[in-house]
Amino acid sequence: MGYLRIFNPHPVKTGDGAQAEDLLLEVHLRDPILQVEVGKFVSGTEMLHLAVLHSRKLCIYSVSGILGNVEHGNQYQIKLMYEHNLQRTACNMTYGPFGGVKGRDLICIQSMDGMLMVFEQESYAFGRFLPGSLLPGPLAYSSRTDSFITVSSCQQVESYKYQVLAFATDADKRQETEQQKLGSGKRLVVDWTLNIGEQALDICIVSFNQSASSVFVLGERNFFCLKDNGQIRFMKKLDCSPSCFLPYCSVSEGTVNTLIGNHNNMLHIYQDVTLKWATQLPHVPVAVRVGCLHDLKGVIVTLSDDGHLQCSYLGTDPSLFQAPKVESRELNYDELDTELKELQKIIKDVNKSQGVWPITEREDDLKISAMVSSNFDSVSQATDVEVGTDLVPSVTVKITLQNQVALQKIKLSVYVQPPLVLTCDQFTFEFMAPEMTRTVGFSVYLKGSYTPPELEGNAVVSYSRPTDRNPDGIPRVTQCKFRLPLKLVCLPGQPSKTASHKLTIETNKSPVSLLSLFPGFASQSEDDQVNVMGFHFLGSSRVTLLASKTSQRYRIQSEQFEDLWLITNELIIRLQEYFEKQGIKDFACSFSGSMPLQEYFELIDHHFELRINGEKLEELLSERAVQFRAIQRRLLTRFKDKTPAPLQHLDTLLDGTYKQVIALADAVEENQDNLFQSFTRLKSATHLVILLIGLWQKLSTDQIAILEATFLPLQQDTPELGWEETVDAAISHLLKTCLSKNSKEQALNLSSQLSMPKDTSRLKKHITLLCDRLAKGGRLCLSTDAAAPQTMVMPGGCATIPESDLEERSIEQDSTELFTNHKHLIVETPRAEVSPLQGVSE
């Protein structure tokens, strides 16, 4: 900003702030100030003057003062002695008795383009260009060797003798002439160089005795101490990025102390390479000096980049307190043990009764509820749909948040299964006052041309509740689920008499009218007992539902196996709701047909084939990209060649390769879309298989949860981890633990990591074996008792188990891990007798 200020701080006591009389002089010089130095710069006198370097000007000032009657009446003024207008933009300067002159100081200014300009007080002496200069570095003058030391763009410390600079070729006559070729001019030769491998921030030359001087160089990561001839005396690697440094005299003979400030607001004091002191500063120092202010020696003066000036000193006031000696006495360990147990009991009781927050208030902090509209939106919110129908409906869902206490940082996230899409899935509230209700709404619609694996959505709220101990708030999470209507993805359709895939669900109650179960999917007929109904999924296949008139059975049939899932699940849910309203509690469904594993395996093979195809396409795309870059390099070489040469059809080859890269990229994207759809259909079929296994073997809710964790461990496929290897590892774990036939199969061998299999034959064998073990009485049980060592699952890697024979060959000793929410799987040993529901004998 061009302000020059001179301070003379003299606090009354430690910690005093700035006084008004501390500022001796303030003057605005208008031009930005690059550097300030004090020396003998005026001819005819040896008094000290002030040299101020601007970008295009060097000014020499004299500072004088007039005494007043009182201290604050003293007046100081600054007077311009002379100035030099620079032809080049200045970077920095140094001064000293160049050439060994007595009683005066010369000034050397380095320009931004690497030119050294020497001024002998009021006159300009000469200018020299440093060889190979690109960017200017720090510059210092060594009076002992009469040389200039700088760090070049080559990250080298370079030393130039003043005599060599004085007799070298003038910078204004850089073009060689015939006389210079004959030897009248001399080339600028460096005295010595040292490669330090980094840029330098500052250079300082110190000499505390006449015998030796040291050159200190502060780099970006190290600081170096060099001898006069450029040899390294020592160096120190710094832990933090430095900002400034200052070597000063040490009380120990033969050592030098160095102050180093860094960008972590720290000031480190080194004695040679040993850290002696570290102190915290309120700012990042950009300059540091040591001085004597008002008889106080060793005052450290630091300056920040925003003009904050601080004077401080090391050490603390001595403390005269001495701790009294403690009388030694023997310890009674029994009493200490008893006291420790009492304290632990008190701590345990407090944690049980209070905890961090009251247990009764956890559920009262925030209540979340969801309401799905019973009617479609009057104007559909569906955009960019891929369904072939003319109009895709949308339904509105409203989420209501009710809080009892003050909450902050509330974030609501809503998730539905693709291809269902939300108009908005993120809502944020910075603060909610106590007893406040917030309601947000959004619409849901079907975007893709295939059915979602579930019609259930999930709303999760994360928030922070402030407490006295933690004003920022304790993070908590709550959630609620909502069910979307079937008519959102399905329309009434014409029933079909023939279908490729059929399922029969048996119940223990008389059949119910499908019209009362699915209102809106069939028209009212003369006979109230509608026993057939058709469903048409948007952009997908048709499903037919039939209810038997005589028996207690329902049949679901479709051309696509995975499309049976939504209607079958919806049928069972609506039957349960219907009989609950009737007050009937013993309603149950069952499945006695053959398990449709073959249809399920076809979907697995199709999904795995798309994964294999994706890997091949990506590998081929990588090869074509390498070929494309190689052809580009060849063409660039031909174009840069001074002698033109024929292209030899390289341009044609480049164009063909480019088209192949684009085509392969399109194929990769298309395969990824197909893989995503295949995975969604596979999840639908997996849900259906889990449902049928549960109805077939009368599995409990906990056992079905184990199967869901086994068959549905992933929300989506990734290149690193796919569905096939994950499910195979989980099923292998079940076969070794809760479904094992003997103790030999229970031996765990924690080994390799998951990797993509070569084919799906092993996975299909394990799924078949899982169903067979369940049919023979095997059961999955959850236990939190960790006292059974034979059933504990130790954490480790996961690997599949090779098995060629489904019954006879025992499972090899590998191990897999199943994600069962920190619970262990144990085996419930089948009894000798056979229960009526199983219908099989061991």
Side-chain angles (χ1 to χ4, degrees), residues 183-242:
S184 60
K186 293 186 178 180
R187 184 182 177 188
L188 183 57
V189 179
V190 64
D191 186 25
W192 54 261
T193 62
L194 175 68
N195 191 346
I196 61 174
E198 57 183 315
Q199 295 295 336
L201 303 180
D202 199 1
I203 295 177
C204 189
I205 299 172
V206 294
S207 179
F208 300 121
N209 53 53
Q210 297 299 323
S211 60
S213 64
S214 299
V215 179
F216 284 82
V217 181
L218 180 65
E220 296 173 331
R221 294 173 297 277
N222 307 273
F223 84 91
F224 306 84
C225 178
L226 313 179
K227 297 179 182 179
D228 291 336
N229 57 2
Q231 296 180 358
I232 293 181
R233 194 185 303 273
F234 62 82
M235 65 173 288
K236 174 66 178 178
K237 181 176 177 61
L238 302 176
D239 296 330
C240 304
S241 176

Side-chain angles (χ1 to χ4, degrees), residues 425-638:
D425 59 352
Q426 298 282 345
F427 302 91
T428 304
F429 312 102
E430 288 298 327
F431 180 77
M432 289 181 67
E435 303 293 338
M436 189 175 180
T437 302
R438 289 282 185 97
T439 302
V440 296
F442 51 88
S443 296
V444 188
Y445 61 91
L446 185 70
K447 185 176 182 178
S449 59
Y450 51 98
T451 58
E454 286 182 287
L455 291 176
E456 197 175 65
N458 193 15
V460 181
V461 180
S462 61
Y463 60 95
S464 297
R465 179 188 173 185
T467 61
D468 295 337
R469 298 180 182 178
N470 189 356
D472 293 335
I474 301 173
R476 299 188 190 173
V477 176
T478 184
Q479 64 176 345
C480 79
K481 295 184 178 181
F482 56 90
R483 185 164 186 81
L484 299 171
L486 180 64
K487 58 184 179 180
L488 184 65
V489 299
C490 184
L491 299 174
Q494 189 68 25
S496 176
K497 295 183 180 180
T498 59
S500 302
H501 306 281
K502 301 177 182 179
L503 290 177
T504 301
I505 303 298
E506 300 177 358
T507 64
N508 58 352
K509 301 298 177 182
S510 57
V512 183
S513 169
L514 297 182
L515 182 62
S516 59
L517 290 178
F518 296 92
F521 283 92
S523 59
Q524 183 75 28
S525 60
E526 297 179 359
D527 187 4
D528 216 25
Q529 295 287 330
V530 177
N531 65 338
V532 62
M533 188 173 288
F535 302 89
H536 175 58
F537 288 110
L538 296 178
S540 186
S541 62
R542 301 176 183 271
V543 180
T544 303
L545 174 62
L546 300 95
S548 176
K549 295 182 178 180
T550 57
S551 61
Q552 303 165 352
R553 296 180 178 179
Y554 299 87
R555 171 173 289 182
I556 308 97
Q557 56 188 27
S558 174
E559 292 297 331
Q560 302 291 335
F561 175 68
E562 64 273 9
D563 290 339
L564 298 174
W565 153 245
L566 282 183
I567 302 301
T568 305
N569 187 50
E570 197 74 22
L571 172 65
I572 295 177
I573 292 176
R574 298 195 180 199
L575 283 173
Q576 291 173 346
E577 293 176 351
Y578 175 82
F579 285 109
E580 283 179 2
K581 291 180 181 179
Q582 301 294 329
I584 300 173
K585 298 182 179 180
D586 60 343
F587 170 76
C589 298
S590 61
F591 175 73
S592 59
S594 59
M595 195 61 59
L597 292 182
Q598 193 59 40
E599 295 85 346
Y600 184 49
F601 291 161
E602 291 178 0
L603 288 173
I604 294 176
D605 290 336
H606 179 63
H607 175 262
F608 187 75
E609 182 182 349
L610 289 174
R611 287 185 63 192
I612 296 293
N613 190 33
E615 283 195 347
K616 293 180 179 179
L617 286 174
E618 289 180 357
E619 183 179 353
L620 194 58
L621 178 61
S622 176
E623 293 178 356
R624 291 295 179 270
V626 171
Q627 176 180 319
F628 185 74
R629 290 191 294 269
I631 298 172
Q632 280 183 322
R633 286 194 295 268
R634 291 284 185 90
L635 278 174
L636 286 174
T637 304
R638 294 289 176 90

Side-chain angles (χ1 to χ4, degrees), residues 749-822:
N749 182 17
L750 309 180
S751 56
S752 62
Q753 299 178 352
L754 294 179
S755 59
M756 186 174 177
K758 295 181 179 179
D759 52 38
T760 60
S761 58
R762 178 180 298 177
L763 172 62
K764 292 187 285 188
K765 287 180 180 180
H766 289 165
I767 295 175
T768 308
L769 184 58
L770 173 71
C771 297
D772 191 69
R773 294 278 176 90
L774 290 174
K776 291 188 175 181
R779 284 294 179 266
L780 303 174
C781 295
L782 289 174
S783 174
T784 56
D785 184 12
Q790 71 275 10
T791 60
M792 291 180 64
V793 182
M794 303 301 293
C798 301
T800 56
I801 54 175
E803 187 163 357
S804 59
D805 193 339
L806 299 182
E807 287 295 325
E808 301 299 331
R809 181 170 298 184
S810 62
I811 305 173
E812 294 182 4
Q813 297 181 352
D814 289 330
S815 69
T816 55
E817 185 176 0
L818 179 64
F819 311 104
T820 55
N821 196 15
H822 304 288

